[in-house]
PDB file of all heavy atoms in Angstrom:
ATOM      1  N   GLY A  57     -17.554  -4.914  -2.930  1.00  0.00           N
ATOM      2  CA  GLY A  57     -17.936  -4.037  -1.832  1.00  0.00           C
ATOM      3  C   GLY A  57     -19.352  -3.540  -2.012  1.00  0.00           C
ATOM      4  O   GLY A  57     -20.147  -4.108  -2.768  1.00  0.00           O
ATOM      5  N   VAL A  58     -19.660  -2.470  -1.305  1.00  0.00           N
ATOM      6  CA  VAL A  58     -20.998  -1.884  -1.334  1.00  0.00           C
ATOM      7  C   VAL A  58     -20.871  -0.385  -1.555  1.00  0.00           C
ATOM      8  O   VAL A  58     -19.846   0.222  -1.243  1.00  0.00           O
ATOM      9  CB  VAL A  58     -21.759  -2.164  -0.023  1.00  0.00           C
ATOM     10  CG1 VAL A  58     -21.947  -3.663   0.179  1.00  0.00           C
ATOM     11  CG2 VAL A  58     -21.049  -1.547   1.184  1.00  0.00           C
ATOM     12  N   LEU A  59     -21.940   0.202  -2.088  1.00  0.00           N
ATOM     13  CA  LEU A  59     -21.973   1.648  -2.268  1.00  0.00           C
ATOM     14  C   LEU A  59     -22.857   2.256  -1.193  1.00  0.00           C
ATOM     15  O   LEU A  59     -24.050   1.963  -1.122  1.00  0.00           O
ATOM     16  CB  LEU A  59     -22.501   2.014  -3.652  1.00  0.00           C
ATOM     17  CG  LEU A  59     -22.256   3.461  -4.087  1.00  0.00           C
ATOM     18  CD1 LEU A  59     -20.765   3.734  -4.198  1.00  0.00           C
ATOM     19  CD2 LEU A  59     -22.944   3.762  -5.409  1.00  0.00           C
ATOM     20  N   CYS A  60     -22.249   3.066  -0.340  1.00  0.00           N
ATOM     21  CA  CYS A  60     -22.979   3.764   0.712  1.00  0.00           C
ATOM     22  C   CYS A  60     -23.521   5.064   0.132  1.00  0.00           C
ATOM     23  O   CYS A  60     -22.757   6.000  -0.143  1.00  0.00           O
ATOM     24  CB  CYS A  60     -22.072   4.051   1.902  1.00  0.00           C
ATOM     25  SG  CYS A  60     -21.511   2.582   2.784  1.00  0.00           S
ATOM     26  N   ALA A  62     -25.955   6.848  -3.023  1.00  0.00           N
ATOM     27  CA  ALA A  62     -25.745   6.794  -4.473  1.00  0.00           C
ATOM     28  C   ALA A  62     -26.193   8.088  -5.124  1.00  0.00           C
ATOM     29  O   ALA A  62     -26.915   8.100  -6.109  1.00  0.00           O
ATOM     30  CB  ALA A  62     -26.512   5.602  -5.062  1.00  0.00           C
ATOM     31  N   LEU A  96     -19.281  -1.268 -11.851  1.00  0.00           N
ATOM     32  CA  LEU A  96     -20.725  -1.164 -11.655  1.00  0.00           C
ATOM     33  C   LEU A  96     -21.377  -2.534 -11.545  1.00  0.00           C
ATOM     34  O   LEU A  96     -22.199  -2.773 -10.656  1.00  0.00           O
ATOM     35  CB  LEU A  96     -21.358  -0.383 -12.816  1.00  0.00           C
ATOM     36  CG  LEU A  96     -22.885  -0.295 -12.794  1.00  0.00           C
ATOM     37  CD1 LEU A  96     -23.367   0.508 -11.586  1.00  0.00           C
ATOM     38  CD2 LEU A  96     -23.414   0.311 -14.092  1.00  0.00           C
ATOM     39  N   HIS A  97     -21.013  -3.447 -12.412  1.00  0.00           N
ATOM     40  CA  HIS A  97     -21.718  -4.723 -12.499  1.00  0.00           C
ATOM     41  C   HIS A  97     -21.136  -5.820 -11.625  1.00  0.00           C
ATOM     42  O   HIS A  97     -21.846  -6.785 -11.306  1.00  0.00           O
ATOM     43  CB  HIS A  97     -21.744  -5.207 -13.950  1.00  0.00           C
ATOM     44  CG  HIS A  97     -22.611  -4.374 -14.833  1.00  0.00           C
ATOM     45  ND1 HIS A  97     -22.471  -4.332 -16.209  1.00  0.00           N
ATOM     46  CD2 HIS A  97     -23.636  -3.520 -14.541  1.00  0.00           C
ATOM     47  CE1 HIS A  97     -23.371  -3.513 -16.721  1.00  0.00           C
ATOM     48  NE2 HIS A  97     -24.078  -2.999 -15.730  1.00  0.00           N
ATOM     49  N   ILE A 100     -19.555  -3.443  -7.200  1.00  0.00           N
ATOM     50  CA  ILE A 100     -20.649  -2.950  -6.349  1.00  0.00           C
ATOM     51  C   ILE A 100     -21.700  -4.051  -6.255  1.00  0.00           C
ATOM     52  O   ILE A 100     -22.428  -4.326  -7.210  1.00  0.00           O
ATOM     53  CB  ILE A 100     -21.269  -1.661  -6.915  1.00  0.00           C
ATOM     54  CG1 ILE A 100     -20.219  -0.550  -7.017  1.00  0.00           C
ATOM     55  CG2 ILE A 100     -22.438  -1.206  -6.042  1.00  0.00           C
ATOM     56  CD1 ILE A 100     -20.720   0.701  -7.730  1.00  0.00           C
ATOM     57  N   ARG A 101     -21.800  -4.678  -5.082  1.00  0.00           N
ATOM     58  CA  ARG A 101     -22.706  -5.813  -4.920  1.00  0.00           C
ATOM     59  C   ARG A 101     -24.026  -5.419  -4.263  1.00  0.00           C
ATOM     60  O   ARG A 101     -24.972  -6.212  -4.255  1.00  0.00           O
ATOM     61  CB  ARG A 101     -22.024  -6.909  -4.102  1.00  0.00           C
ATOM     62  CG  ARG A 101     -20.819  -7.530  -4.799  1.00  0.00           C
ATOM     63  CD  ARG A 101     -21.225  -8.215  -6.096  1.00  0.00           C
ATOM     64  NE  ARG A 101     -20.102  -8.770  -6.819  1.00  0.00           N
ATOM     65  CZ  ARG A 101     -19.631 -10.010  -6.639  1.00  0.00           C
ATOM     66  NH1 ARG A 101     -20.176 -10.795  -5.725  1.00  0.00           N
ATOM     67  NH2 ARG A 101     -18.615 -10.432  -7.359  1.00  0.00           N
ATOM     68  N   ALA A 102     -24.093  -4.226  -3.680  1.00  0.00           N
ATOM     69  CA  ALA A 102     -25.327  -3.789  -3.013  1.00  0.00           C
ATOM     70  C   ALA A 102     -25.252  -2.290  -2.792  1.00  0.00           C
ATOM     71  O   ALA A 102     -24.165  -1.690  -2.777  1.00  0.00           O
ATOM     72  CB  ALA A 102     -25.512  -4.511  -1.683  1.00  0.00           C
ATOM     73  N   TYR A 103     -26.435  -1.693  -2.623  1.00  0.00           N
ATOM     74  CA  TYR A 103     -26.535  -0.282  -2.256  1.00  0.00           C
ATOM     75  C   TYR A 103     -27.059  -0.184  -0.832  1.00  0.00           C
ATOM     76  O   TYR A 103     -28.015  -0.867  -0.455  1.00  0.00           O
ATOM     77  CB  TYR A 103     -27.496   0.460  -3.200  1.00  0.00           C
ATOM     78  CG  TYR A 103     -27.028   0.499  -4.629  1.00  0.00           C
ATOM     79  CD1 TYR A 103     -27.604  -0.338  -5.590  1.00  0.00           C
ATOM     80  CD2 TYR A 103     -26.018   1.367  -5.034  1.00  0.00           C
ATOM     81  CE1 TYR A 103     -27.191  -0.311  -6.903  1.00  0.00           C
ATOM     82  CE2 TYR A 103     -25.592   1.399  -6.353  1.00  0.00           C
ATOM     83  CZ  TYR A 103     -26.178   0.557  -7.285  1.00  0.00           C
ATOM     84  OH  TYR A 103     -25.753   0.590  -8.592  1.00  0.00           O
ATOM     85  N   LEU A 104     -26.425   0.676  -0.040  1.00  0.00           N
ATOM     86  CA  LEU A 104     -26.916   1.015   1.295  1.00  0.00           C
ATOM     87  C   LEU A 104     -27.395   2.456   1.224  1.00  0.00           C
ATOM     88  O   LEU A 104     -26.585   3.374   1.062  1.00  0.00           O
ATOM     89  CB  LEU A 104     -25.815   0.868   2.351  1.00  0.00           C
ATOM     90  CG  LEU A 104     -25.083  -0.475   2.427  1.00  0.00           C
ATOM     91  CD1 LEU A 104     -24.080  -0.460   3.571  1.00  0.00           C
ATOM     92  CD2 LEU A 104     -26.052  -1.617   2.592  1.00  0.00           C
ATOM     93  N   ILE A 105     -28.684   2.664   1.338  1.00  0.00           N
ATOM     94  CA  ILE A 105     -29.261   3.994   1.162  1.00  0.00           C
ATOM     95  C   ILE A 105     -29.699   4.530   2.518  1.00  0.00           C
ATOM     96  O   ILE A 105     -30.573   3.961   3.173  1.00  0.00           O
ATOM     97  CB  ILE A 105     -30.452   3.961   0.187  1.00  0.00           C
ATOM     98  CG1 ILE A 105     -30.010   3.403  -1.172  1.00  0.00           C
ATOM     99  CG2 ILE A 105     -31.050   5.347   0.038  1.00  0.00           C
ATOM    100  CD1 ILE A 105     -28.930   4.211  -1.861  1.00  0.00           C
ATOM    101  N   LEU A 116     -28.335   6.638  -8.449  1.00  0.00           N
ATOM    102  CA  LEU A 116     -28.929   5.304  -8.547  1.00  0.00           C
ATOM    103  C   LEU A 116     -30.064   5.300  -9.568  1.00  0.00           C
ATOM    104  O   LEU A 116     -30.181   4.374 -10.385  1.00  0.00           O
ATOM    105  CB  LEU A 116     -29.452   4.877  -7.175  1.00  0.00           C
ATOM    106  CG  LEU A 116     -30.206   3.548  -7.083  1.00  0.00           C
ATOM    107  CD1 LEU A 116     -29.309   2.386  -7.475  1.00  0.00           C
ATOM    108  CD2 LEU A 116     -30.757   3.349  -5.678  1.00  0.00           C
ATOM    109  N   ASP A 123     -27.953  -0.910 -14.982  1.00  0.00           N
ATOM    110  CA  ASP A 123     -27.430  -1.640 -13.833  1.00  0.00           C
ATOM    111  C   ASP A 123     -27.840  -3.104 -13.934  1.00  0.00           C
ATOM    112  O   ASP A 123     -28.697  -3.483 -14.738  1.00  0.00           O
ATOM    113  CB  ASP A 123     -27.961  -1.018 -12.536  1.00  0.00           C
ATOM    114  CG  ASP A 123     -27.010  -1.195 -11.354  1.00  0.00           C
ATOM    115  OD1 ASP A 123     -26.060  -1.995 -11.477  1.00  0.00           O
ATOM    116  OD2 ASP A 123     -27.226  -0.532 -10.331  1.00  0.00           O
ATOM    117  N   ASN A 124     -27.222  -3.952 -13.116  1.00  0.00           N
ATOM    118  CA  ASN A 124     -27.645  -5.338 -13.040  1.00  0.00           C
ATOM    119  C   ASN A 124     -28.339  -5.580 -11.702  1.00  0.00           C
ATOM    120  O   ASN A 124     -28.413  -4.684 -10.858  1.00  0.00           O
ATOM    121  CB  ASN A 124     -26.462  -6.292 -13.219  1.00  0.00           C
ATOM    122  CG  ASN A 124     -25.345  -6.040 -12.229  1.00  0.00           C
ATOM    123  OD1 ASN A 124     -25.326  -5.034 -11.532  1.00  0.00           O
ATOM    124  ND2 ASN A 124     -24.390  -6.958 -12.167  1.00  0.00           N
ATOM    125  N   HIS A 125     -28.861  -6.774 -11.526  1.00  0.00           N
ATOM    126  CA  HIS A 125     -29.677  -7.081 -10.348  1.00  0.00           C
ATOM    127  C   HIS A 125     -28.867  -6.910  -9.067  1.00  0.00           C
ATOM    128  O   HIS A 125     -27.784  -7.477  -8.924  1.00  0.00           O
ATOM    129  CB  HIS A 125     -30.186  -8.518 -10.446  1.00  0.00           C
ATOM    130  CG  HIS A 125     -31.091  -8.897  -9.323  1.00  0.00           C
ATOM    131  ND1 HIS A 125     -32.395  -8.429  -9.228  1.00  0.00           N
ATOM    132  CD2 HIS A 125     -30.892  -9.679  -8.234  1.00  0.00           C
ATOM    133  CE1 HIS A 125     -32.957  -8.915  -8.131  1.00  0.00           C
ATOM    134  NE2 HIS A 125     -32.066  -9.681  -7.518  1.00  0.00           N
ATOM    135  N   LYS A 126     -29.415  -6.090  -8.144  1.00  0.00           N
ATOM    136  CA  LYS A 126     -28.724  -5.829  -6.881  1.00  0.00           C
ATOM    137  C   LYS A 126     -29.737  -5.606  -5.774  1.00  0.00           C
ATOM    138  O   LYS A 126     -30.860  -5.148  -6.026  1.00  0.00           O
ATOM    139  CB  LYS A 126     -27.852  -4.570  -6.975  1.00  0.00           C
ATOM    140  CG  LYS A 126     -26.604  -4.689  -7.814  1.00  0.00           C
ATOM    141  CD  LYS A 126     -25.741  -3.453  -7.627  1.00  0.00           C
ATOM    142  CE  LYS A 126     -24.497  -3.532  -8.495  1.00  0.00           C
ATOM    143  NZ  LYS A 126     -24.798  -3.187  -9.882  1.00  0.00           N
ATOM    144  N   PRO A 127     -29.328  -5.859  -4.526  1.00  0.00           N
ATOM    145  CA  PRO A 127     -30.184  -5.496  -3.399  1.00  0.00           C
ATOM    146  C   PRO A 127     -29.972  -4.049  -2.973  1.00  0.00           C
ATOM    147  O   PRO A 127     -28.868  -3.498  -3.106  1.00  0.00           O
ATOM    148  CB  PRO A 127     -29.724  -6.454  -2.296  1.00  0.00           C
ATOM    149  CG  PRO A 127     -28.291  -6.739  -2.615  1.00  0.00           C
ATOM    150  CD  PRO A 127     -28.159  -6.652  -4.112  1.00  0.00           C
ATOM    151  N   ILE A 128     -31.044  -3.438  -2.485  1.00  0.00           N
ATOM    152  CA  ILE A 128     -30.972  -2.138  -1.818  1.00  0.00           C
ATOM    153  C   ILE A 128     -31.270  -2.382  -0.347  1.00  0.00           C
ATOM    154  O   ILE A 128     -32.366  -2.825   0.012  1.00  0.00           O
ATOM    155  CB  ILE A 128     -31.984  -1.140  -2.398  1.00  0.00           C
ATOM    156  CG1 ILE A 128     -31.650  -0.814  -3.852  1.00  0.00           C
ATOM    157  CG2 ILE A 128     -32.015   0.143  -1.569  1.00  0.00           C
ATOM    158  CD1 ILE A 128     -32.678   0.097  -4.525  1.00  0.00           C
ATOM    159  N   PHE A 129     -30.294  -2.109   0.519  1.00  0.00           N
ATOM    160  CA  PHE A 129     -30.469  -2.261   1.956  1.00  0.00           C
ATOM    161  C   PHE A 129     -30.762  -0.893   2.560  1.00  0.00           C
ATOM    162  O   PHE A 129     -30.028   0.069   2.341  1.00  0.00           O
ATOM    163  CB  PHE A 129     -29.205  -2.845   2.599  1.00  0.00           C
ATOM    164  CG  PHE A 129     -29.011  -4.310   2.353  1.00  0.00           C
ATOM    165  CD1 PHE A 129     -28.396  -4.754   1.197  1.00  0.00           C
ATOM    166  CD2 PHE A 129     -29.459  -5.246   3.273  1.00  0.00           C
ATOM    167  CE1 PHE A 129     -28.215  -6.110   0.960  1.00  0.00           C
ATOM    168  CE2 PHE A 129     -29.291  -6.600   3.056  1.00  0.00           C
ATOM    169  CZ  PHE A 129     -28.674  -7.034   1.897  1.00  0.00           C
ATOM    170  N   ALA A 130     -31.829  -0.810   3.329  1.00  0.00           N
ATOM    171  CA  ALA A 130     -32.218   0.444   3.967  1.00  0.00           C
ATOM    172  C   ALA A 130     -33.234   0.142   5.058  1.00  0.00           C
ATOM    173  O   ALA A 130     -33.806  -0.961   5.114  1.00  0.00           O
ATOM    174  CB  ALA A 130     -32.811   1.408   2.952  1.00  0.00           C
ATOM    175  N   ASN A 135     -36.977   2.499   2.259  1.00  0.00           N
ATOM    176  CA  ASN A 135     -37.402   1.684   1.119  1.00  0.00           C
ATOM    177  C   ASN A 135     -38.840   1.980   0.710  1.00  0.00           C
ATOM    178  O   ASN A 135     -39.182   1.942  -0.474  1.00  0.00           O
ATOM    179  CB  ASN A 135     -37.247   0.200   1.448  1.00  0.00           C
ATOM    180  CG  ASN A 135     -35.822  -0.288   1.240  1.00  0.00           C
ATOM    181  OD1 ASN A 135     -35.070   0.271   0.451  1.00  0.00           O
ATOM    182  ND2 ASN A 135     -35.452  -1.348   1.944  1.00  0.00           N
ATOM    183  N   MET A 138     -38.684   5.038  -1.425  1.00  0.00           N
ATOM    184  CA  MET A 138     -38.076   4.709  -2.718  1.00  0.00           C
ATOM    185  C   MET A 138     -39.089   4.038  -3.643  1.00  0.00           C
ATOM    186  O   MET A 138     -39.200   4.379  -4.824  1.00  0.00           O
ATOM    187  CB  MET A 138     -36.876   3.789  -2.496  1.00  0.00           C
ATOM    188  CG  MET A 138     -35.744   4.403  -1.715  1.00  0.00           C
ATOM    189  SD  MET A 138     -34.613   5.340  -2.723  1.00  0.00           S
ATOM    190  CE  MET A 138     -33.784   4.013  -3.568  1.00  0.00           C
ATOM    191  N   PHE A 143     -39.190   5.077  -7.612  1.00  0.00           N
ATOM    192  CA  PHE A 143     -39.369   4.027  -8.607  1.00  0.00           C
ATOM    193  C   PHE A 143     -40.840   3.621  -8.615  1.00  0.00           C
ATOM    194  O   PHE A 143     -41.213   2.535  -8.159  1.00  0.00           O
ATOM    195  CB  PHE A 143     -38.467   2.833  -8.281  1.00  0.00           C
ATOM    196  CG  PHE A 143     -36.998   3.098  -8.453  1.00  0.00           C
ATOM    197  CD1 PHE A 143     -36.109   2.880  -7.409  1.00  0.00           C
ATOM    198  CD2 PHE A 143     -36.499   3.565  -9.659  1.00  0.00           C
ATOM    199  CE1 PHE A 143     -34.754   3.108  -7.569  1.00  0.00           C
ATOM    200  CE2 PHE A 143     -35.132   3.807  -9.834  1.00  0.00           C
ATOM    201  CZ  PHE A 143     -34.259   3.584  -8.789  1.00  0.00           C
ATOM    202  N   MET A 151     -38.072   0.227 -11.149  1.00  0.00           N
ATOM    203  CA  MET A 151     -36.929  -0.674 -11.274  1.00  0.00           C
ATOM    204  C   MET A 151     -36.840  -1.661 -10.115  1.00  0.00           C
ATOM    205  O   MET A 151     -35.950  -2.515 -10.092  1.00  0.00           O
ATOM    206  CB  MET A 151     -35.628   0.140 -11.352  1.00  0.00           C
ATOM    207  CG  MET A 151     -35.628   1.233 -12.400  1.00  0.00           C
ATOM    208  SD  MET A 151     -35.940   0.641 -14.079  1.00  0.00           S
ATOM    209  CE  MET A 151     -34.390  -0.197 -14.437  1.00  0.00           C
ATOM    210  N   GLY A 152     -37.730  -1.521  -9.141  1.00  0.00           N
ATOM    211  CA  GLY A 152     -37.680  -2.376  -7.962  1.00  0.00           C
ATOM    212  C   GLY A 152     -38.606  -3.565  -8.044  1.00  0.00           C
ATOM    213  O   GLY A 152     -39.236  -3.840  -9.069  1.00  0.00           O
ATOM    214  N   ASN A 153     -38.702  -4.290  -6.932  1.00  0.00           N
ATOM    215  CA  ASN A 153     -39.549  -5.481  -6.855  1.00  0.00           C
ATOM    216  C   ASN A 153     -40.768  -5.255  -5.964  1.00  0.00           C
ATOM    217  O   ASN A 153     -41.408  -6.207  -5.549  1.00  0.00           O
ATOM    218  CB  ASN A 153     -38.741  -6.678  -6.341  1.00  0.00           C
ATOM    219  CG  ASN A 153     -38.262  -6.501  -4.906  1.00  0.00           C
ATOM    220  OD1 ASN A 153     -38.122  -5.375  -4.427  1.00  0.00           O
ATOM    221  ND2 ASN A 153     -38.007  -7.595  -4.217  1.00  0.00           N
ATOM    222  N   GLY A 161     -37.847  -5.009 -11.528  1.00  0.00           N
ATOM    223  CA  GLY A 161     -37.161  -5.909 -10.617  1.00  0.00           C
ATOM    224  C   GLY A 161     -35.649  -5.912 -10.683  1.00  0.00           C
ATOM    225  O   GLY A 161     -35.018  -6.883 -10.241  1.00  0.00           O
ATOM    226  N   VAL A 162     -35.044  -4.854 -11.225  1.00  0.00           N
ATOM    227  CA  VAL A 162     -33.578  -4.771 -11.190  1.00  0.00           C
ATOM    228  C   VAL A 162     -33.098  -4.714  -9.747  1.00  0.00           C
ATOM    229  O   VAL A 162     -32.103  -5.346  -9.388  1.00  0.00           O
ATOM    230  CB  VAL A 162     -33.085  -3.535 -11.975  1.00  0.00           C
ATOM    231  CG1 VAL A 162     -31.584  -3.319 -11.780  1.00  0.00           C
ATOM    232  CG2 VAL A 162     -33.409  -3.693 -13.456  1.00  0.00           C
ATOM    233  N   TYR A 163     -33.824  -3.975  -8.921  1.00  0.00           N
ATOM    234  CA  TYR A 163     -33.436  -3.822  -7.523  1.00  0.00           C
ATOM    235  C   TYR A 163     -34.398  -4.577  -6.610  1.00  0.00           C
ATOM    236  O   TYR A 163     -35.616  -4.581  -6.827  1.00  0.00           O
ATOM    237  CB  TYR A 163     -33.393  -2.341  -7.139  1.00  0.00           C
ATOM    238  CG  TYR A 163     -32.413  -1.547  -7.961  1.00  0.00           C
ATOM    239  CD1 TYR A 163     -32.800  -0.383  -8.620  1.00  0.00           C
ATOM    240  CD2 TYR A 163     -31.096  -1.984  -8.112  1.00  0.00           C
ATOM    241  CE1 TYR A 163     -31.904   0.339  -9.385  1.00  0.00           C
ATOM    242  CE2 TYR A 163     -30.195  -1.272  -8.877  1.00  0.00           C
ATOM    243  CZ  TYR A 163     -30.599  -0.112  -9.516  1.00  0.00           C
ATOM    244  OH  TYR A 163     -29.706   0.590 -10.281  1.00  0.00           O
ATOM    245  N   GLU A 164     -33.815  -5.184  -5.592  1.00  0.00           N
ATOM    246  CA  GLU A 164     -34.578  -5.952  -4.616  1.00  0.00           C
ATOM    247  C   GLU A 164     -34.441  -5.271  -3.256  1.00  0.00           C
ATOM    248  O   GLU A 164     -33.328  -5.143  -2.734  1.00  0.00           O
ATOM    249  CB  GLU A 164     -34.061  -7.388  -4.550  1.00  0.00           C
ATOM    250  CG  GLU A 164     -34.796  -8.275  -3.579  1.00  0.00           C
ATOM    251  CD  GLU A 164     -34.272  -9.699  -3.608  1.00  0.00           C
ATOM    252  OE1 GLU A 164     -33.886 -10.174  -4.693  1.00  0.00           O
ATOM    253  OE2 GLU A 164     -34.244 -10.333  -2.537  1.00  0.00           O
ATOM    254  N   TYR A 165     -35.552  -4.809  -2.716  1.00  0.00           N
ATOM    255  CA  TYR A 165     -35.520  -4.077  -1.451  1.00  0.00           C
ATOM    256  C   TYR A 165     -35.322  -5.042  -0.274  1.00  0.00           C
ATOM    257  O   TYR A 165     -36.015  -6.064  -0.173  1.00  0.00           O
ATOM    258  CB  TYR A 165     -36.821  -3.305  -1.246  1.00  0.00           C
ATOM    259  CG  TYR A 165     -37.068  -2.226  -2.272  1.00  0.00           C
ATOM    260  CD1 TYR A 165     -38.017  -2.395  -3.278  1.00  0.00           C
ATOM    261  CD2 TYR A 165     -36.361  -1.030  -2.234  1.00  0.00           C
ATOM    262  CE1 TYR A 165     -38.260  -1.406  -4.213  1.00  0.00           C
ATOM    263  CE2 TYR A 165     -36.593  -0.040  -3.171  1.00  0.00           C
ATOM    264  CZ  TYR A 165     -37.542  -0.230  -4.151  1.00  0.00           C
ATOM    265  OH  TYR A 165     -37.772   0.753  -5.088  1.00  0.00           O
ATOM    266  N   HIS A 166     -34.397  -4.692   0.608  1.00  0.00           N
ATOM    267  CA  HIS A 166     -34.172  -5.430   1.847  1.00  0.00           C
ATOM    268  C   HIS A 166     -34.358  -4.454   3.006  1.00  0.00           C
ATOM    269  O   HIS A 166     -33.569  -3.509   3.149  1.00  0.00           O
ATOM    270  CB  HIS A 166     -32.769  -6.025   1.890  1.00  0.00           C
ATOM    271  CG  HIS A 166     -32.564  -7.187   0.961  1.00  0.00           C
ATOM    272  ND1 HIS A 166     -32.474  -8.489   1.401  1.00  0.00           N
ATOM    273  CD2 HIS A 166     -32.445  -7.231  -0.388  1.00  0.00           C
ATOM    274  CE1 HIS A 166     -32.310  -9.292   0.362  1.00  0.00           C
ATOM    275  NE2 HIS A 166     -32.278  -8.543  -0.741  1.00  0.00           N
ATOM    276  N   ASP A 167     -35.368  -4.667   3.804  1.00  0.00           N
ATOM    277  CA  ASP A 167     -35.636  -3.801   4.950  1.00  0.00           C
ATOM    278  C   ASP A 167     -34.748  -4.202   6.123  1.00  0.00           C
ATOM    279  O   ASP A 167     -34.792  -5.360   6.569  1.00  0.00           O
ATOM    280  CB  ASP A 167     -37.101  -3.901   5.377  1.00  0.00           C
ATOM    281  CG  ASP A 167     -38.051  -3.393   4.318  1.00  0.00           C
ATOM    282  OD1 ASP A 167     -37.628  -2.587   3.471  1.00  0.00           O
ATOM    283  OD2 ASP A 167     -39.232  -3.817   4.343  1.00  0.00           O
ATOM    284  N   LEU A 168     -33.947  -3.260   6.586  1.00  0.00           N
ATOM    285  CA  LEU A 168     -33.102  -3.496   7.754  1.00  0.00           C
ATOM    286  C   LEU A 168     -33.864  -3.145   9.020  1.00  0.00           C
ATOM    287  O   LEU A 168     -34.544  -2.117   9.074  1.00  0.00           O
ATOM    288  CB  LEU A 168     -31.827  -2.664   7.667  1.00  0.00           C
ATOM    289  CG  LEU A 168     -30.855  -3.029   6.542  1.00  0.00           C
ATOM    290  CD1 LEU A 168     -29.750  -1.993   6.441  1.00  0.00           C
ATOM    291  CD2 LEU A 168     -30.272  -4.419   6.760  1.00  0.00           C
ATOM    292  N   ASP A 175     -26.519 -10.002   6.875  1.00  0.00           N
ATOM    293  CA  ASP A 175     -25.473 -10.317   5.910  1.00  0.00           C
ATOM    294  C   ASP A 175     -25.790  -9.677   4.566  1.00  0.00           C
ATOM    295  O   ASP A 175     -26.961  -9.606   4.154  1.00  0.00           O
ATOM    296  CB  ASP A 175     -25.346 -11.828   5.734  1.00  0.00           C
ATOM    297  CG  ASP A 175     -24.799 -12.522   6.973  1.00  0.00           C
ATOM    298  OD1 ASP A 175     -24.056 -11.870   7.737  1.00  0.00           O
ATOM    299  OD2 ASP A 175     -25.118 -13.709   7.178  1.00  0.00           O
ATOM    300  N   ILE A 176     -24.741  -9.227   3.872  1.00  0.00           N
ATOM    301  CA  ILE A 176     -24.898  -8.693   2.529  1.00  0.00           C
ATOM    302  C   ILE A 176     -24.426  -9.760   1.550  1.00  0.00           C
ATOM    303  O   ILE A 176     -23.244 -10.115   1.548  1.00  0.00           O
ATOM    304  CB  ILE A 176     -24.104  -7.386   2.350  1.00  0.00           C
ATOM    305  CG1 ILE A 176     -24.604  -6.328   3.342  1.00  0.00           C
ATOM    306  CG2 ILE A 176     -24.220  -6.877   0.918  1.00  0.00           C
ATOM    307  CD1 ILE A 176     -23.862  -5.022   3.265  1.00  0.00           C
ATOM    308  N   PRO A 177     -25.316 -10.311   0.736  1.00  0.00           N
ATOM    309  CA  PRO A 177     -24.946 -11.428  -0.144  1.00  0.00           C
ATOM    310  C   PRO A 177     -23.786 -11.080  -1.061  1.00  0.00           C
ATOM    311  O   PRO A 177     -23.613  -9.938  -1.494  1.00  0.00           O
ATOM    312  CB  PRO A 177     -26.227 -11.672  -0.955  1.00  0.00           C
ATOM    313  CG  PRO A 177     -27.330 -11.099  -0.128  1.00  0.00           C
ATOM    314  CD  PRO A 177     -26.739  -9.925   0.587  1.00  0.00           C
ATOM    315  N   ASN A 178     -22.959 -12.094  -1.329  1.00  0.00           N
ATOM    316  CA  ASN A 178     -21.840 -11.989  -2.266  1.00  0.00           C
ATOM    317  C   ASN A 178     -20.765 -11.011  -1.811  1.00  0.00           C
ATOM    318  O   ASN A 178     -19.995 -10.503  -2.632  1.00  0.00           O
ATOM    319  CB  ASN A 178     -22.347 -11.608  -3.661  1.00  0.00           C
ATOM    320  CG  ASN A 178     -23.375 -12.573  -4.201  1.00  0.00           C
ATOM    321  OD1 ASN A 178     -23.164 -13.787  -4.192  1.00  0.00           O
ATOM    322  ND2 ASN A 178     -24.514 -12.051  -4.640  1.00  0.00           N
ATOM    323  N   THR A 179     -20.734 -10.739  -0.506  1.00  0.00           N
ATOM    324  CA  THR A 179     -19.656  -9.956   0.097  1.00  0.00           C
ATOM    325  C   THR A 179     -19.305 -10.595   1.435  1.00  0.00           C
ATOM    326  O   THR A 179     -20.003 -11.491   1.907  1.00  0.00           O
ATOM    327  CB  THR A 179     -20.069  -8.492   0.350  1.00  0.00           C
ATOM    328  OG1 THR A 179     -20.944  -8.433   1.499  1.00  0.00           O
ATOM    329  CG2 THR A 179     -20.759  -7.874  -0.848  1.00  0.00           C
ATOM    330  N   VAL A 183     -24.097  -5.796   7.951  1.00  0.00           N
ATOM    331  CA  VAL A 183     -24.405  -4.391   8.187  1.00  0.00           C
ATOM    332  C   VAL A 183     -25.468  -4.275   9.268  1.00  0.00           C
ATOM    333  O   VAL A 183     -26.392  -5.084   9.339  1.00  0.00           O
ATOM    334  CB  VAL A 183     -24.875  -3.696   6.890  1.00  0.00           C
ATOM    335  CG1 VAL A 183     -26.132  -4.350   6.332  1.00  0.00           C
ATOM    336  CG2 VAL A 183     -25.094  -2.205   7.106  1.00  0.00           C
TER     337      VAL A 183
END
Side-chain angles (χ1 to χ4, degrees):
V58 298
L59 195 63
C60 294
L96 175 65
H97 291 159
I100 300 173
R101 295 298 178 89
Y103 296 104
L104 306 183
I105 302 299
L116 176 62
D123 209 347
N124 56 348
H125 183 74
K126 288 189 182 79
I128 295 176
F129 285 85
N135 278 334
M138 296 275 287
F143 291 125
M151 308 302 288
N153 65 336
V162 172
Y163 300 127
E164 181 178 325
Y165 296 106
H166 288 254
D167 296 337
L168 294 171
D175 292 333
I176 300 179
N178 303 310
T179 75
V183 60

